[in-house]
Amino acid sequence: SSGINAEWPLLPGISLNTNLFSASVQDRSSQREYAVSHLQWLSDTLDAVKGRVVIIGHIPPTLSLYALYHNKVAKVSWRLEYFENFREIYRRHHEKVIAMLFGHEHQDTFVVERNSGVDMATYTFPSVSPIYSGQPSYGIAVIQNHGNDRKLKDIFTYHTWLDYYTRLRIEPKFLTYRSFGQIFRLNELTPEGLFNKTKNIVEESDGMRSFMAVKGKVYQERAVPMISPHLYYCYTTNFNIAAFVQCIESFGYDGKPYIVNS
């Protein structure tokens, strides 16, 4: 027995070594050669693949949420050259991508950007380790078959209050969860749906208040100061610094305290 259930066909995934693209890594010629060839490999793989795939990696191609919360600066996690290359690859092949799932930030969130008529969504998953005074968490992405197609139905986040269980000296349990679909009232998570929802989220307030409330419980425990819904909206709808600055300026921010060179 192979252990593979024919009713649950294997889901193709593309795993990227996104550490190669990090803005924190020294840009040596050998490093750049590996990074460029890795992106070319991604492009060739998506050219050849017949069905739809999930792209996974560690460092997301987004602004750093950690830097925004802790240091009040906008910092791109990837070098701009690699990010622009990746974005163009995604633009050409977006219909083949079910979802893009990353980590690194130790917090659950998403970023969605509309570029040349194509919406690109990136999800980051939380950490099971209690680093940065956080509570252990993990995420589950639910992908369902729709005929011959597969779609991202929802993402659930489970977490446990480790310090609470530690004080009581009992075994921790992952009991509570958050659902992106429930928070944003979406039947399935598509880049287009998320973008259209977040366009009006500040004006509607309900979705943002709900989202900030459930996340606020975790961040309060982590002693991380909350940022305004406007700034969080600008983060979740922009991949790069220029777009982020333009967004916060539209809400009356000058942007200067939130800018650093990546």
Side-chain angles (χ1 to χ4, degrees), residues 35 39 200:
L39 286 169
N200 300 320

Side-chain angles (χ1 to χ4, degrees), residues 7-244:
E7 297 180 357
W8 293 91
L10 295 178
L11 177 66
I14 298 177
S15 179
L16 295 177
N17 179 9
T18 56
N19 290 346
L20 293 171
F21 314 135
S22 173
S24 301
V25 175
Q26 187 174 355
D27 194 22
R28 298 189 179 94
S29 58
S30 58
Q31 179 83 8
R32 185 179 184 281
E33 181 180 349
Y34 283 124
V36 171
S37 63
H38 197 44
L39 286 169
Q40 184 60 52
W41 169 81
L42 171 63
S43 180
D44 294 343
T45 301
L46 287 172
D47 281 337
V49 73
K50 301 300 182 184
R52 302 186 73 205
V53 301
V54 173
I55 294 177
I56 61 175
H58 181 66
I59 302 176
T62 64
L63 297 176
S64 169
L65 180 60
Y66 182 87
L68 185 63
Y69 266 93
H70 288 265
N71 303 320
K72 293 295 187 293
V73 294
K75 183 178 181 181
V76 178
S77 297
W78 286 19
R79 290 187 178 276
L80 185 60
E81 173 189 0
Y82 306 142
F83 164 71
E84 295 291 354
N85 194 338
F86 177 82
R87 184 164 63 170
E88 175 57 24
I89 293 171
Y90 178 86
R91 188 190 65 78
R92 296 198 312 268
H93 299 287
H94 67 277
E95 293 182 351
K96 295 183 177 181
V97 179
I98 302 172
M100 298 194 295
L101 312 175
F102 295 85
H104 187 65
E105 294 286 350
H106 294 267
Q107 300 172 45
D108 62 313
T109 189
F110 73 95
V111 177
V112 59
E113 180 192 43
R114 177 161 291 172
N115 178 48
S116 301
V118 174
D119 295 332
M120 181 167 74
T122 295
Y123 299 89
T124 61
F125 280 67
S127 171
V128 294
S129 73
I131 193 171
Y132 303 131
S133 302
Q135 301 295 339
S137 306
Y138 65 90
I140 297 177
V142 180
I143 297 173
Q144 291 186 342
N145 289 334
H146 289 255
N148 296 325
D149 195 9
R150 288 168 171 170
K151 295 184 179 181
L152 180 62
K153 181 68 175 178
D154 206 345
I155 293 179
F156 296 92
T157 300
Y158 293 79
H159 69 273
T160 182
W161 299 110
L162 182 61
D163 51 358
Y164 169 78
Y165 287 108
T166 300
R167 287 196 299 269
L168 295 181
R169 297 186 178 182
I170 58 179
E171 182 179 356
K173 296 180 180 180
F174 288 84
L175 296 176
T176 57
Y177 74 91
R178 298 185 291 277
S179 157
F180 274 90
Q182 290 176 4
I183 290 171
F184 291 101
R185 305 185 188 96
L186 294 171
N187 292 326
E188 62 185 33
L189 300 186
T190 64
E192 297 80 11
L194 280 173
F195 188 90
N196 292 331
K197 195 70 176 180
T198 52
K199 274 181 65 178
N200 300 320
I201 208 164
V202 173
E203 288 76 13
E204 293 178 351
S205 294
D206 290 343
M208 178 59 76
R209 277 200 297 266
S210 170
F211 191 43
M212 297 294 282
V214 294
K215 294 180 76 64
K217 294 177 182 177
V218 179
Y219 293 142
Q220 185 178 17
E221 184 70 17
R222 293 174 176 176
V224 176
M226 295 294 290
I227 59 176
S228 74
H230 299 86
L231 287 178
Y232 197 85
Y233 164 76
C234 290
Y235 171 84
T236 55
T237 54
N238 293 285
F239 271 66
N240 53 58
I241 289 179
F244 176 81

